[in-house]
Structure formats: structure tokens, C-alpha cells
Amino acid sequence: MKATFPHMGEAYAAIKGFLEDLGVDIVIPPACNKKTLEIGTKNSPESACLPLKVNIGNYVQSIKMGADTVIITGSCGPCRFGYYGIVEKEILKDMGYDVDVIVFDPPGEDMKEFKRRIKKLTNGNSFYKSVKALLKGYEIAKELDDMNKLMYYLRPREIKKGQVKSIFNEYEREVFKVHGSKRILELIKETKNRLEKVEVDSERDVVKIGIIGEIYTVIEPFVNLYIEEKLGDLGVEVDRSMTVSGWIKTNLFAKLVGFNEEKAIIDAAKPYLPAMIGGHAQICIGNAVLYSKQGYDGVIQLLPFSCMPEIVASSILPTLSKKEDIPCMTLVVDELTGESGYVTRLEAFIDMIGRKKEVIGL
Ligand code: SF4
């Protein structure tokens, strides 16, 4: 088996560590790029969600590099994500690629099926060894999230512009060269140490923005046009409401012991959206409310064009914005999104918030 998986922001490093610890041969797709999107768009139904199109591009690029098995996460509920595994397999088959697709979804009620898939995915290793490797993958995801938080603080405050970016780019080049979770974790630690030495102006007054919306769009920088970097350059400290480690904790570990990790967020969403309608719409609304309570200056919702749950969430945001007194902006992305219009909207939003802050400060 030579396995591949969607690139998904920095998540590939956690999956790499997890699978390498189990001795699984892997192919990491190249970082998402124009070619990835072009392949996916050309070969997927026009109405398919943007993340699915990018996934297809990832797989094809990996298959051309020798991959024969695709690993993806799954889901259930009234949203197209639940069909990704089947649809993606069919698309690849139509393209002439007869690869195995392993769907790694939350355990739900069928623990036997969950264990069977784990066994297949984990190269026949024992359940104990697989869980140990999974925990290491989770640790990598958590360390990466911490590193991101550090970069969110540093970017708007760094004295020498571009330093954070260049350290992170170096990490991204190196992580491909190292093998196994131990080395990946060491590399992250080394990178964090370097980041901690970046000189900053800690007195600088920055705008604080929470990023909410559809999880894939939030965590994949190519799809969201590197919004965290762009906002950092505009003097904004961001916070990402959804992360890979958060997804693992909520959907795997907490569910296994019957704990609802997202209860506080769902409770916050209830006055505006009392029911789960698929995707992360309810979480998106709950996080917007919580960002307001935590004193953030604004929220930006990201969603792929035609994402049903997030369209519902975006229709609620204007009311929420008034009641919770927090500026909200929605950015829709698809394969036709132009960078200059996107940046202009970001600049205008941040400018508006900056002026509001000044007025309040008077
Ligand atoms: S959350 Fe939105 S983009 Fe993601 S699968 Fe569901 S409908 Fe598609």
C-alpha cells in the first residue's frame, strides 16, 4: 500500500507522522496550487463543493507520484461531506484510477467497523500501536496549532517584516525531509524556538479578528488565499476557530467517551441557530458569539461557493452582528475568486474596524 491523503493546511504533517510511525508507505501531495485546483475543477461535477475539487487535484497529483490508496476522513449529517468518500472514488474511477479509498470517520455506534477500518489503514499493526501512533499524530497537530497561535501574535507585531514567513517556509521545506513523529515534533520545537526570537513591538495596537466558517476553507491557506498572512501584514492578530487538533479531539477522542466537546459553542449558537443543520454552521455561529464575548474586534466567515450550511450561517450573521455588537464579514471563495477584489474587501473591513476602535477610544 502506498497511501495518500488530502493536503489540508498543515494537517499533512500530523498524518505523515501517524502513518510513518506505523510503517505505512506514503505520498504527500504537493502543497495545493493552481494545478491542483485545475485538475479538480476539470474532473469534478461543476456543483461539487470546492474542497472536493481540491481533494481530487491532490489525489491525482499523488497517484502520478505512485500512490495507490487514498485516505480521507468522513462525516454524517445533512451535508455533502458525508458522500465525499464514495463520490471521490467514483470520480477517480472515471478518470481511470482504480485506487482503494479508506474512509476514516468518527466511530459512531459501529465500533467493530471502526476497528476494521483502523486495522486496514494501519498496515496490520496492533490496535495498541495504532492508537499510540494516532496520539502522536494528534500531538503534532496540537503543536502545529500552538505554533500557529505564536505566528498570529508575531505577524502583526514583527519589526522586520517577513521574518515569520521565512522561518515558517523553512519549516515547510524541512518537514518533507524528516521521517516519523519524533523528528517532526523536534522540528516543530526548533521552529518555535526560532520564532520566539523574532523581534516584536509588543506595544503595537492591533486589531483582533476571529476566523469562522467552513472548516476546510478555514484551515487550507491556498483556498482562503493565505488570509492569515494577509491579515497579519495588515496589522491584524487572528484566531482560527477551527483546527485539525480540535477536529480530532472533538470527533474522535471526546466522542469515544461520550463527551460533547463543543457544548459551550453550541449553547452560544442556540439563540440564533438552535438545530444542527450540517457542516459547521452551528459551530460557526457559536464561535461568532464567543468571539464577541471575548472582546474581538470582528469576525470573518469563510465559505466555499454553494456551501449550504454556511449560507444559512451567513444569513444569520447580520442579526448576530447587531445584537452582539461585533462587525462580521463573509468571504466566499471558489475557483474563480480574484485576489485583488478579495484583498480590497479585507482592507476595507480592517480599515472600518480600525476607525471604529479610534472612535471608541476617544
Ligand atoms: S460543509 Fe459545505 S463545503 Fe463542506 S461538504 Fe458540506 S456543503 Fe460542502
Side-chain angles (χ1 to χ4, degrees), residues 327-342:
C328 302
M329 181 171 74
T330 292
L331 289 172
V332 182
V333 289
D334 70 3
E335 54 270 33
L336 301 174
T337 305
E339 186 153 357
S340 51
Y342 186 89

Side-chain angles (χ1 to χ4, degrees), residues 1 19 22-25 118-126 130:
M1 171 166 92
L19 294 174
L22 293 169
V24 178
D25 209 0
I118 293 240
K119 188 109 191 142
K120 195 172 173 196
L121 167 74
T122 55
N123 209 18
N125 280 282
S126 69
S130 307

Side-chain angles (χ1 to χ4, degrees), residues 15-201:
I15 309 170
K16 170 179 153 74
F18 164 56
L19 294 174
E20 283 177 347
D21 282 5
L22 293 169
V24 178
D25 209 0
I26 58 165
V27 177
I28 303 178
C32 299
N33 54 42
K34 278 192 180 152
K35 187 83 197 149
T36 317
L37 186 58
E38 205 181 291
I39 298 169
T41 307
K42 203 170 139 203
N43 295 289
S44 311
E46 200 191 329
S47 59
C49 308
L50 184 68
L52 183 140
K53 294 176 185 172
V54 184
N55 283 359
I56 293 292
N58 286 153
Y59 304 152
V60 171
Q61 286 177 315
S62 289
I63 291 166
K64 287 188 173 153
M65 289 158 72
D68 57 21
T69 304
V70 168
I71 298 167
I72 64 160
T73 56
S75 170
C76 54
C79 151
R80 290 173 269 185
F81 187 42
Y83 304 110
Y84 266 34
I86 303 159
V87 176
E88 289 178 354
K89 187 172 168 67
E90 287 305 312
I91 293 174
L92 291 173
K93 211 165 145 194
D94 287 350
M95 292 177 75
Y97 301 121
D98 192 14
V99 291
D100 201 7
V101 177
I102 304 176
V103 184
F104 187 49
D105 48 6
E109 279 159 22
D110 195 350
M111 273 308 284
K112 223 170 136 195
E113 173 60 17
F114 180 66
K115 281 188 183 174
R116 193 192 65 78
R117 282 188 195 163
I118 293 240
K119 188 109 191 142
K120 195 172 173 196
L121 167 74
T122 55
N123 209 18
N125 280 282
S126 69
F127 190 63
Y128 170 74
K129 196 171 172 199
S130 307
V131 171
K132 208 173 142 205
L134 184 63
L135 288 173
K136 281 287 172 196
Y138 173 63
E139 198 182 329
I140 294 173
K142 238 166 38 116
E143 290 299 326
L144 284 171
D145 290 337
D146 278 358
M147 189 163 90
N148 272 330
K149 280 212 171 111
L150 180 59
M151 291 196 288
Y152 299 154
Y153 174 81
L154 296 172
R155 273 194 200 110
R157 297 176 174 91
E158 64 183 353
I159 307 268
K160 198 171 150 212
K161 285 285 155 207
Q163 243 187 313
V164 171
K165 187 177 176 166
S166 101
I167 295 173
F168 183 68
N169 286 349
E170 235 173 274
Y171 154 80
E172 290 225 291
R173 281 194 296 273
E174 287 304 308
V175 77
F176 275 83
K177 297 180 197 160
V178 299
H179 190 274
S181 64
K182 191 166 175 276
R183 275 298 295 130
I184 297 174
L185 284 164
E186 281 167 4
L187 177 65
I188 296 171
K189 202 171 163 202
E190 285 158 24
T191 309
K192 269 191 192 164
N193 287 342
R194 292 183 63 200
L195 284 168
E196 269 156 10
K197 291 193 185 88
V198 169
E199 218 190 321
V200 291
D201 175 0

Side-chain angles (χ1 to χ4, degrees), residues 49-51 79-82 84 214 216-217 278-280 304 306-310:
C49 308
L50 184 68
C79 151
R80 290 173 269 185
F81 187 42
Y84 266 34
E214 191 271 337
Y216 184 83
T217 323
H280 285 95
S306 89
C307 169
M308 298 167 298
E310 292 297 332

